Amino acid sequence: TWGVFAQAWATMMVNSGTFSSGAALLSLGLSVPETLLAQSCGAVILLAGLILNASAGVKYGIPFPVFARSSFGSGGAHFCTLSRGAVAIMWLSFQCWQGVLGIHAALGQVVGRARLRSWGRLGEHLDVAKLVILLLYLGLHAVLIQLGPAKLKRCISSVLPFMVMGILGIAVWAAFLCPVQEALVAAEESTPESIGSKSIAFFAAMNSSIGTWSTLVLNVCDLSRFSPTQKDQALGQALGVPVPFVATLFIGMWLAGATTVAYGKAVWQIPDCFAHWPSMVSVLAGLVLAAATLLVNVLANIISPINDLMNVAPNHFTYRGCGFFVLILSVAVCPWWTFSGRITFVLNFLSGYAMITGAIAGIFMADYWILRRRQLNVEELYTKTGVNWKALLAVLLGAAPLIPGFVDALIHQGGADRQATW
């Protein structure tokens, strides 16, 4: 029903990634109102894409890999599913690192940071303690993969509300640090990263909100096929996406400004808050963050690429085998390096992968709504139809103008920091 959809999307929107990107976007040189306006515009565009691509799932009851065949053919659909899977692995890597940072910060409050640092360092953003925590944390993911997703439903319903309450608790803490207006003024960067004019920064911020959830725009049929009516999926997503998303972003910016006033340095990631809290509160918050991240990862960031990989060779690949392989790939992303800087996080990651998934989503909508007029031959979708090279060419043409800028961002933005890390 629409209520279930609204609750599901609201819980997905309130997460550490959304929280972090809110403060990170201020480094583009926009004011808080400009950033919120850009993100709100992006949320509306995102909502439109979700509703349009969800329609086929409701009408025909088909999942994403099958829907992709209508536009790209049975062979070309592998490109769509693997593209989605790659993005899910990136998010898995980021969320895992957030959990590791939370546990590391909580342990630092209990045993002391100096003792953790005494284990040794492996790079600018990675030490031995964090690596050990990461491996153990991934081990817990492997245990849950072995158990299967069916046993996690009760756990996810009980842990996620604590994450929502935690975000609201951070807002209360920010309010105690300094007045809201003073915090919002302090949040704005005095020496922002230069990426061009304000217009370019505005569109970059807007694109980041779309890119963050572009994967779900692709595979929203996996959820909407369980919706009884089009009204339920449309109304549920309209209530569950824009407001929780923008509200979490705002709290992230609010805290960045409040901590700048109170401590002289902005805090833009949830684990960094723990250093300013009492030990017991930090430990509880770290455990909640780690548990929530663990469960959301398995349900949202692991099951998706598992299904995508299994779709390549369903007679040879197993659920658990693909799951363990996905965990290995999440480590290969090197999250301690990839997500080390704010400007890198916003532009290189969010904007970068959106140029591919956005092009695919646009083809889905144009093909289903304009060319096919919402009429699909379901039997044909379950037969071998080869590859629709026109659709793949359209993706290439859509993404090609953006590739030079993306490569330039990878090479020049934060290049010195990356070299030092490696």
Side-chain angles (χ1 to χ4, degrees):
T1 63
W2 65 268
V4 176
F5 266 82
Q7 293 176 23
W9 276 105
T11 53
M12 284 191 285
M13 291 292 134
V14 181
N15 65 79
S16 58
T18 305
F19 181 91
S20 299
S21 62
L25 287 168
L26 293 174
S27 65
L28 300 179
L30 298 174
S31 66
V32 171
E34 290 169 341
T35 303
L36 288 176
L37 177 60
Q39 292 287 277
S40 298
C41 293
V44 171
I45 296 174
L46 170 66
L47 176 63
L50 288 169
I51 292 175
L52 291 175
N53 269 348
S55 176
V58 178
K59 185 174 182 179
Y60 295 101
I62 54 177
F64 163 68
V66 177
F67 179 49
R69 296 180 180 185
S70 65
S71 299
F72 288 81
S74 60
H78 292 317
F79 167 74
C80 303
T81 56
L82 292 178
S83 296
R84 182 195 68 169
V87 173
I89 290 171
M90 292 287 283
W91 267 119
L92 168 63
S93 182
F94 173 75
Q95 295 284 20
C96 278
W97 191 241
Q98 290 294 299
V100 169
L101 292 178
I103 297 173
H104 187 271
L107 286 176
Q109 288 288 88
V110 176
V111 304
R113 298 181 188 178
R115 180 172 296 182
L116 292 179
R117 286 195 294 265
S118 68
W119 291 18
R121 296 194 64 84
L122 301 174
E124 182 180 356
H125 302 285
L126 180 66
D127 55 38
V128 174
K130 289 179 181 178
L131 179 61
V132 171
I133 294 172
L134 176 62
L135 295 177
L136 293 176
Y137 196 45
L138 290 173
L140 292 177
H141 284 73
V143 171
L144 293 182
I145 291 173
Q146 182 68 26
L147 292 175
K151 297 182 179 180
L152 300 175
K153 293 181 180 179
R154 292 182 180 179
C155 296
I156 198 74
S157 62
S158 61
V159 172
L160 280 177
F162 286 99
M163 190 64 184
V164 175
M165 289 188 291
I167 294 290
L168 295 177
I170 290 175
V172 174
W173 177 52
F176 276 100
L177 291 178
C178 73
V180 177
Q181 187 61 38
E182 184 180 357
L184 296 182
V185 172
E188 298 176 3
E189 293 277 337
S190 58
T191 56
E193 298 283 351
S194 176
I195 63 171
S197 65
K198 281 245 181 180
S199 298
I200 296 177
F202 184 89
F203 281 108
M206 184 173 68
N207 184 61
S208 72
S209 62
I210 302 171
T212 302
W213 298 99
S214 60
T215 309
L216 271 298
V217 175
L218 294 186
N219 74 297
V220 68
C221 279
D222 289 337
L223 303 177
S224 66
R225 67 194 185 106
F226 299 107
S227 175
T229 66
Q230 297 288 358
K231 178 181 178 181
D232 284 303
Q233 66 93 358
L235 180 60
Q237 293 184 121
L239 295 175
V241 173
V243 174
F245 178 65
V246 176
T248 304
L249 288 163
F250 174 74
I251 294 174
M253 291 185 283
W254 181 6
L255 179 66
T259 51
T260 299
V261 173
Y263 306 113
K265 182 180 179 181
V267 172
W268 70 286
Q269 290 190 3
I270 292 178
D272 294 337
C273 300
F274 300 165
H276 304 287
W277 295 350
S279 298
M280 185 57 66
V281 176
S282 298
V283 170
L284 292 175
L287 292 176
V288 170
L289 176 62
T293 303
L294 173 63
L295 292 173
V296 172
N297 267 343
V298 174
L299 293 177
N301 298 324
I302 292 181
I303 292 178
S304 168
I306 285 177
N307 291 333
D308 297 336
L309 290 174
M310 290 179 62
N311 185 59
V312 175
N315 295 328
H316 298 87
F317 294 166
T318 65
Y319 173 86
R320 291 177 176 84
C322 289
F324 299 147
F325 183 61
V326 166
L327 293 181
I328 294 174
L329 292 177
S330 70
V331 178
V333 172
C334 301
W336 56 88
W337 171 71
T338 306
F339 308 108
S340 61
R342 291 178 297 169
I343 196 71
T344 299
F345 176 81
V346 175
L347 294 181
N348 296 2
F349 177 51
L350 298 183
S351 302
Y353 80 67
M355 69 182 180
I356 301 296
T357 52
I360 296 174
I363 290 170
F364 282 170
M365 287 182 278
D367 183 59
Y368 179 72
W369 285 89
I370 300 176
L371 298 180
R372 300 181 184 272
R373 300 182 183 275
R374 295 180 294 167
Q375 301 300 317
L376 298 178
N377 186 335
V378 178
E379 289 187 8
E380 185 180 86
L381 296 179
Y382 287 92
T383 60
K384 291 185 178 181
T385 55
V387 177
N388 184 354
W389 294 104
K390 294 180 180 179
L392 293 177
L393 179 61
V395 172
L396 177 61
L397 293 176
L402 307 177
I403 292 177
F406 178 56
V407 173
D408 179 73
L410 288 176
I411 294 174
H412 295 99
Q413 292 181 15
D417 290 339
R418 290 173 176 270
Q419 292 172 6
T421 301
W422 279 103

